[in-house]
Amino acid sequence: MEYINESDFRRLDLNLLLVFHALLHERSVTRAAQRLFIGQPALSGALKRLRAALGDELFVRTSHGMTPTPRALELARVIEPLLLSLQQALHARPAFDPAKAERVFRIGLSDALEVALMPRLMQRLSEEAPGVRLIAREADRTNAPAMLDAAEIELAVGVFIDCASWQRQRALFGWSFVCVYNPELVKVRGRKITLAEYLRHPHLLTSFSADLSGLVDELLREQGHSRKVVFSSRNFATSPFIVRQMPAITTVPTFAAATWRDALGLAVSPLPFETPAYEVSLLWTAAHDADPALQWLVGLVADTFGGKPVR
């Protein structure tokens, strides 16, 4: 790429190139002014500045109107294609070919969603867009919107109750809480765990605040019950390995439970009490609405998981 010296343009208002273009085609100050929707005095003043900047009369009045000088005709061979190329670039929507693209996307999501979604998504990328690479960054509803605004990530995946007016949201799938345990260590009489069985065993908790109490504990207290939480973490990764080793229960989203069940042979049961339902969605900034690459990725994720809860 050739170096551009910005100081060469200090004397020239690039809008004057439109004045040059209009005079070149109209050969009349009056008609050029009408073409540009400005007054004739304004166009005459612009022509004066253009002459001073380029050091040439450019257009001289003759019986045939404003006739371009040899210097103006020489400049026209450069300026006319330049203006046309600029117009085409400003109005053309950039294309994105995933099969040939080389692009890195930064996605913010929890470790549970990363484990649940990334294997299938990476498989599709390897087949459809082998040059596309992903960087996963830990994010949740508390920090993902700010990370998007700071351009630390381009796309967020999670539960977002509210989003700013300059952010876009697209729903993927719903989920609810279920409990996970090792059926060899936690004995359940039926296919669904009872409240007594649920309360009898120690619990592992995943909490954004890494506290020993969470939403489930609030719901239990409303019914006059409590459970014993023996381990708490912001991350989901450790809990399935703990429940494999001890008679404990962890309560997690259905998409996390499905992954652990299939990979580690753990049991999944509905909870013996009501909990709210939630929705996983995509979040990005409106500034990326015109980015065909990101919109392609949004579409790919939605096609892979939209309306198809990971169970």
Side-chain angles (χ1 to χ4, degrees):
M1 179 180 294
E2 295 186 11
Y3 176 73
I4 295 176
N5 186 353
E6 291 82 0
S7 63
D8 288 343
F9 296 92
R10 289 178 181 173
R11 293 185 303 163
L12 179 65
D13 179 352
L14 296 182
N15 287 317
L16 295 178
L17 296 183
L18 296 177
V19 172
F20 178 90
H21 171 78
L23 282 169
L24 185 69
H25 287 268
E26 299 295 341
R27 307 295 173 94
S28 164
V29 171
T30 300
R31 291 196 300 272
Q34 293 172 345
R35 180 169 180 157
L36 295 174
F37 301 99
I38 61 176
Q40 184 174 331
L43 191 132
S44 297
L47 177 57
K48 182 178 180 180
R49 295 195 303 275
L50 191 59
R51 286 167 169 165
L54 298 179
D56 189 88
E57 281 295 298
L58 298 176
F59 298 92
V60 295
R61 194 177 301 278
T62 69
S63 59
H64 300 289
M66 300 296 289
T67 302
T69 66
R71 173 62 172 157
L73 293 174
E74 178 185 352
L75 288 170
R77 287 193 291 271
V78 177
I79 293 175
E80 292 291 287
L82 172 66
L83 291 176
L84 180 60
S85 298
L86 181 59
Q87 181 183 47
Q88 292 172 342
L90 291 175
H91 288 87
R93 184 175 179 87
F96 178 76
D97 184 352
K100 300 177 181 179
E102 297 286 337
R103 176 75 182 259
V104 178
F105 294 99
R106 290 169 173 78
I107 302 179
L109 71 174
S110 70
D111 62 322
L113 280 169
E114 183 177 331
V115 171
L117 305 185
M118 287 301 121
R120 286 169 60 187
L121 184 59
M122 290 306 300
Q123 179 184 8
R124 289 204 61 177
L125 287 178
S126 68
E127 297 169 352
E128 302 175 30
V132 170
R133 295 177 288 173
L134 301 183
I135 297 175
R137 299 197 58 185
E138 185 174 354
D140 54 56
R141 65 176 181 271
T142 65
N143 61 1
M147 293 174 70
L148 284 169
D149 289 344
E152 297 175 8
I153 56 176
E154 295 154 285
L155 185 66
V157 188
V159 177
F160 307 109
I161 307 301
D162 297 306
C163 65
S165 60
W166 59 86
Q167 292 174 335
R168 300 286 186 261
Q169 192 169 5
R170 181 167 180 175
L172 286 182
F173 57 84
W175 63 267
S176 57
F177 283 111
V178 292
C179 60
V180 179
Y181 54 91
N182 185 341
E184 299 298 322
L185 301 177
V186 175
K187 300 300 181 180
V188 176
R189 291 184 179 180
R191 297 181 60 184
K192 298 181 180 180
I193 197 168
T194 66
L195 181 60
E197 291 167 338
Y198 183 83
L199 297 177
R200 183 183 307 142
H201 297 279
H203 288 259
L204 316 176
L205 171 65
T206 303
S207 166
F208 292 138
S209 62
D211 202 352
L212 289 172
S213 179
L215 172 64
V216 168
D217 300 281
E218 294 176 8
L219 296 175
L220 287 172
R221 278 195 294 271
E222 292 175 359
Q223 302 178 32
H225 304 294
S226 64
R227 64 177 181 169
K228 183 180 180 181
V229 177
V230 297
F231 175 80
S232 177
S233 171
R234 284 183 52 88
N235 301 312
F236 288 86
T238 309
S239 294
F241 296 98
I242 296 178
V243 297
R244 285 190 70 192
Q245 301 297 321
M246 64 177 290
I249 297 171
T250 185
T251 301
V252 296
T254 46
F255 57 81
T259 304
W260 300 348
R261 176 199 61 208
D262 297 341
L264 302 173
L266 299 174
V268 178
S269 170
L271 292 174
F273 50 90
E274 294 293 325
T275 59
Y278 299 92
E279 190 171 61
V280 170
S281 62
L282 300 174
L283 192 70
W284 68 95
T285 61
H288 283 96
D289 280 347
D291 181 355
L294 185 65
Q295 294 309 308
W296 167 82
L297 180 62
V298 168
L300 181 68
V301 176
D303 179 65
T304 306
F305 303 106
K308 306 169 187 176
V310 183
R311 297 188 184 281

